[in-house]
């Protein structure tokens, strides 16, 4: 256990430098984060749009086969 | 087996349509709800364990042996390099501190103060936990970032 | 209802006893699955020992799927389903009978696979107190869910592909819970196993309840 | 005059949804602040959580409509159950995709087998199975009956999925928005509620359209059947 504590003491000594390094990495990562965020939104909205458009096309094709009076409720 | 048609008992209502379905449906719903409720009571707090907390992992060290499992705790202090792609750091949970030796890459959000889940096993001597996968278990709290603190070097 | 169940279960088991399809085809298939796993993972004895519970239940699941398909193929061919419906038997009784027949076959299969696992993989079945109730609860869950979906898919042209699609995700909790219970039983830390057993019991109760309530609807016109 | 599945009502709903989506995008991507620890990736929260919750709601409507069908045996309930499950499946797929990307950057992994993720995957497969049953080439009344029974099962799966983070230990974080106190910054909270409203509107809009498409499919089926019967009659008359 003492060995562990000794190791931890050394760890603590190195703290400041590492925090500075971490902050630098974090700011560099922003571009990557934005890319993922945009990819996420684009993927979701594109998928929904695709489903909506295909659904509308199918609806139009089906509606043509049905006489007007049967779908007056729409 | 005798499958010749026999007259239905008169008290049995017709099987078709909405009549006679009511009691059975109610039974189904009650069964579903009861089962879900039982599940809730049974499982709350007990857990099918995705991970052990650091203190549990220490308490069960001999029982776990060289089994692979996941361990959870808050990353404290800073990591030091002990080999080419191996780092050593400590996690804390429930008053117990566990030293992790991790080989491999770390996720982007791996920073002091975050809760992490490490996957691996106790080393043969039981002193350190040898991990080869770190997952950051971030909290469910969201705070607006303070621009002054995050980017102190900005002009 | 219970008398009807006994009638149906007796009929199915008698059919099985005479045709021996489970004995001659499903059981060899199950053992074959065990052997294939051993071939695939052979070089590392450690791996085989660690994953024994998972392999065991995957083998049970796949051969159980065959047993369910078989149990309901029997109904859909010779118009037995119509006969059952016309006979005035209680649908809940028919369901229970089906579950009982499938469960008996599954239990026989599990004993066989258990022997295979002990002999081929070197598993240690000493913690019987947890293993046996786990098997019973898991079997009841498998049989109940299998019967609900079996009658649903029976007689459809696409049943061979539809039944696994519907049944396997539903049975995933059974696989997870039974595997975990076995893991803790074989690994010598049965404490956690009992919680998983609880989950298996919940699952079995859920599907038995669902089957009792909806079998009439599913049976209505085949 | 009306050549598709839209009506004045759905056009208004659609316009509201699109405007709302634009406002939501502005709030989610520009106006709302970055998070202290997660930084910009928190912007995936506003698509991930609302789609998940709306999808769960959609499956509950499927369950309710399935019960309704089993009790009343009316076509409306059946079509409602199917339409809701279809839209819910799309939203749940969106949840999975956004969750994987979000997990990659915050947890460090795309996927892990904790209770929440496992149950979500199972729920998705269950819904696919349900939709497969709805596509069976069967006589409609029987198909609807089978679908309704399969649809009932989405209920427990959805409940378990929703409460997975509370019932089990998971890598996935627990609920942020609870009635007691929301552990969230004000603008972020508003953006989240806006997201709920917008994805809710999107769901209702798509639901109405899918309902009508499925309804039309049934009418076309009937039409085909009527024509076949009429033809058969003509043949019979011609022979005799």
């Amino acid at each position: 256990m003492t060995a562990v504590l000794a190791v931890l003491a050394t760890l603590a000594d190195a703290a400041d430098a590492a925090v500075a390094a971490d902050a630098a990495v974090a700011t560099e990562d922003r571009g990557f984060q934005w890319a993922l965020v945009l990819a996420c939104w684009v993927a979701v909205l594109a998928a929904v749009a695709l489903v909506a458009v295909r659904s509308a096309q199918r609806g139009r094709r089906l509606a043509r086969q049905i006489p007007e009076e049967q779908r007056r409720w729409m | 087996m005798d499958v010749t048609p026999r007259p239905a008992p008169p008290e049995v209502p017709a099987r078709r349509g909405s009549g006679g379905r009511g009691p059975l449906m109610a039974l189904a719903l009650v069964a579903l709800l009861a089962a879900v409720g039982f599940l809730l009571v049974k499982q709350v707090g007990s857990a099918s364990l995705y991970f052990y907390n650091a203190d549990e992992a220490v308490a069960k060290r001999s029982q776990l042996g060289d089994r692979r499992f996941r361990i959870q705790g808050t990353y404290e202090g800073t990591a030091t390099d002990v080999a080419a792609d191996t780092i050593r750091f400590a996690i804390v949970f429930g008053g117990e501190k566990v030293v992790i030796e991790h080989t491999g890459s770390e996720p982007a959000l791996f920073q002091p103060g975050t809760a992490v889940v490490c996957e691996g096993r106790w080393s043969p001597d039981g002193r350190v936990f040898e991990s080869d996968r770190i997952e950051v278990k971030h909290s469910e709290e969201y705070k607006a970032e303070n621009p002054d603190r995050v980017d102190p070097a900005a002009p | 209802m219970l008398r009807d169940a006994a009638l149906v279960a007796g009929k199915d088991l008698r059919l099985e006893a005479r045709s021996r399809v489970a004995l001659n085809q499903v059981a060899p298939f199950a053992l074959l699955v065990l052997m294939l796993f051993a071939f695939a993972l052979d070089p590392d004895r450690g791996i085989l020992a660690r994953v024994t519970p998972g392999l065991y239940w995957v083998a049970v699941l796949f051969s159980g799927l065959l047993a369910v398909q078989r149990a309901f193929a029997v109904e859909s061919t010779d118009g037995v389903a119509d006969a059952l419906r016309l006979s005035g038997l209680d649908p809940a009784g028919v369901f229970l009978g089906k579950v009982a027949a499938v469960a008996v076959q599954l239990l026989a299969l599990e004993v066989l696979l258990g022997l295979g696992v002990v002999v081929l993989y070197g598993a240690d079945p000493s913690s019987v107190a947890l293993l046996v109730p786990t098997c019973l609860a898991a079997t009841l869950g498998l049989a109940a869910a299998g019967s609900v979906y079996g009658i649903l898919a029976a007689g459809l042209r696409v049943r061979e592909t539809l039944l696994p699609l519907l049944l396997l995700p539903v049975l995933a909790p059974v696989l997870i819970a039974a595997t975990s219970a076995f893991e803790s039983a074989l690994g010598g830390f049965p404490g956690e196993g009992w919680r998983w057993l609880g989950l298996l019991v919940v699952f079995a109760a859920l599907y038995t309840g669902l089957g009792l309530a909806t079998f009439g609807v599913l049976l209505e016109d085949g | 005059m009306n050549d598709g599945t839209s009506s004045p009502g759905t056009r208004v709903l659609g316009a509201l949804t699109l405007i709302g989506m634009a406002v939501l995008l502005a709030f989610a991507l520009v106006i709302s602040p970055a998070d202290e620890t997660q930084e910009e990736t928190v912007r995936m929260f506003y698509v991930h959580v609302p789609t998940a919750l709306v999808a769960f709601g959609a499956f509950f409507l499927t369950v309710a409509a399935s019960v309704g069908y089993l009790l009343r045996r009316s076509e409306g309930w059946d079509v409602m159950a199917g339409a809701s499950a279809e839209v819910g499946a799309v939203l749940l797929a969106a949840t999975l995709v956004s969750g994987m990307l979000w997990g990659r950057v915050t947890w460090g992994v795309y996927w892990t087998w904790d209770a929440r993720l496992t149950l979500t995957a199972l729920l998705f497969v269950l819904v696919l199975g349900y939709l497969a049953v709805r596509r069976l080439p069967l006589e409609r009344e029987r198909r609807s009956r089978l679908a309704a029974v399969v649809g009932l099962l989405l209920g427990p799966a959805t409940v378990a999925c929703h409460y997975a983070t509370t019932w089990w230990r998971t890598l996935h974080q627990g609920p942020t928005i609870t009635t007691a106190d929301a552990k969230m910054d004000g603008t972020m909270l508003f953006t989240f509620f806006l997201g709920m409203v917008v994805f809710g509107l999107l769901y209702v809009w798509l639901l109405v359209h899918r309902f009508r498409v499925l309804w039309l499919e049934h009418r076309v089926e009937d039409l085909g059947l009527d024509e076949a019967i009429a033809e058969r009659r003509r043949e019979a008359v011609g022979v005799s």
Side-chain angles (χ1 to χ4, degrees), chain B residues 114-129:
Chain B
T114 51
V116 294
V117 175
C118 302
E119 201 175 314
R121 55 169 64 92
W122 286 112
S123 64
D125 62 359
R127 280 234 174 111
V128 296
F129 183 86

Side-chain angles (χ1 to χ4, degrees), chain C residues 58-126:
Chain C
V58 168
V60 170
L61 206 61
F62 283 149
S63 27
L65 205 60
L66 288 186
V68 168
Q69 226 149 24
R70 161 83 190 143
F72 288 91
V74 167
E75 302 295 348
S76 55
T77 45
D78 301 328
V80 185
D82 293 326
L84 275 180
R85 206 163 50 245
L86 293 172
S87 66
L89 292 173
D90 184 350
V94 177
F95 171 71
L96 285 183
K98 279 284 169 195
V99 171
V102 172
V104 167
Q105 295 178 31
L106 277 177
L107 277 177
L109 208 60
E110 279 163 28
V111 170
L112 182 71
L113 279 171
L115 284 177
V117 162
V118 169
V119 172
L120 298 176
Y121 297 0
D124 169 28
S126 51

Side-chain angles (χ1 to χ4, degrees), chain D residues 46 52 58 69 117 128 137 155 158 174 184 190 196-197 209 215 223 238:
Chain D
Y46 312 117
Y69 178 79
L117 274 67
L128 291 186
T158 310
M184 205 172 197
F190 174 78
M196 284 304 298
V197 171
H209 277 288
W215 183 276
L223 211 61

Side-chain angles (χ1 to χ4, degrees), chain D:
Chain D
M1 109 195 179
N2 190 357
D3 61 344
T5 49
S6 53
S7 59
T10 62
R11 286 200 192 93
V12 172
L13 197 57
L16 275 179
T17 308
L18 291 180
I19 294 168
M21 193 58 85
V23 178
L24 175 64
L25 277 172
F27 263 94
L29 297 183
V30 183
I31 300 172
S32 73
D35 182 66
E36 198 175 74
T37 51
Q38 303 194 36
E39 302 175 353
E40 309 297 347
T41 58
V42 76
R43 299 181 196 285
M44 284 186 238
F45 180 95
Y46 312 117
V47 59
H48 180 70
V49 183
T51 49
L53 290 176
V54 175
F56 291 164
F59 299 141
F60 273 120
L61 186 62
T62 299
V63 174
S66 297
V67 173
Y69 178 79
L70 288 178
L71 291 178
R72 296 262 165 271
R73 303 292 169 105
S74 70
E75 193 188 355
W77 284 121
D78 175 50
V79 171
M80 172 84 87
S84 190
E86 284 177 348
V87 182
V90 173
L91 289 173
L92 195 64
T95 309
L96 285 170
V97 169
S98 59
M100 281 181 178
L101 290 174
W102 198 12
R104 176 66 189 81
V105 62
T106 56
W107 301 338
V109 290
Y110 286 107
W111 188 265
T112 184
W113 293 103
D114 82 346
R116 168 59 76 75
L117 274 67
T118 307
L119 282 168
T120 313
L122 282 179
L123 180 61
F124 189 61
V125 185
L126 281 177
V127 175
L128 291 186
Y130 172 78
L131 292 177
V133 170
R134 295 199 64 88
R135 294 265 166 248
L136 286 178
L138 290 177
E139 133 207 22
R140 187 191 309 145
E141 203 254 347
R142 182 170 172 214
R143 184 176 59 206
S144 309
R145 204 148 31 77
L146 298 185
V149 172
V150 178
L152 286 183
L153 291 166
L154 297 179
T158 310
V159 171
C161 188
H162 184 247
Y163 287 105
T165 56
T166 324
W167 293 352
W168 291 285
R169 269 185 202 168
T170 53
L171 181 65
H172 197 285
Q173 69 272 28
T176 294
I177 318 293
T178 49
T179 43
D181 64 321
K183 302 164 204 160
M184 205 172 197
D185 165 84
T187 319
M188 290 176 163
L189 198 61
F190 174 78
T191 311
F192 163 70
F193 280 125
L194 185 67
M196 284 304 298
V197 171
V198 170
F199 279 101
L201 282 174
L202 180 72
Y203 163 69
V204 176
W205 186 35
L206 292 179
L207 178 72
V208 173
H209 277 288
R210 286 311 297 172
F211 184 96
R212 289 174 179 177
V213 169
L214 293 182
W215 183 276
L216 284 173
E217 270 174 10
H218 283 186
R219 294 289 75 74
V220 171
E221 257 176 34
D222 292 348
L223 211 61
L225 199 65
D226 289 347
E227 262 168 20
I229 291 171
E231 194 153 316
R232 188 75 191 79
R233 281 224 179 91
R234 277 197 298 280
E235 269 174 27
V237 170
V239 167
S240 62

Side-chain angles (χ1 to χ4, degrees), chain B residues 70-121:
Chain B
R70 297 190 187 89
I71 186 170
Q72 191 255 168
T74 307
Y75 167 27
E76 288 199 346
T78 27
T80 47
D81 293 320
V82 290
D85 61 346
T86 301
I87 56 166
R88 179 182 290 168
F89 59 96
I91 63 170
V92 176
F93 194 92
E96 285 283 354
K97 187 169 263 180
V98 173
V99 177
I100 311 270
E101 272 190 11
H102 171 73
T103 309
S105 58
E106 305 95 50
L109 284 189
F110 181 68
Q111 290 154 8
T114 51
V116 294
V117 175
C118 302
E119 201 175 314
R121 55 169 64 92

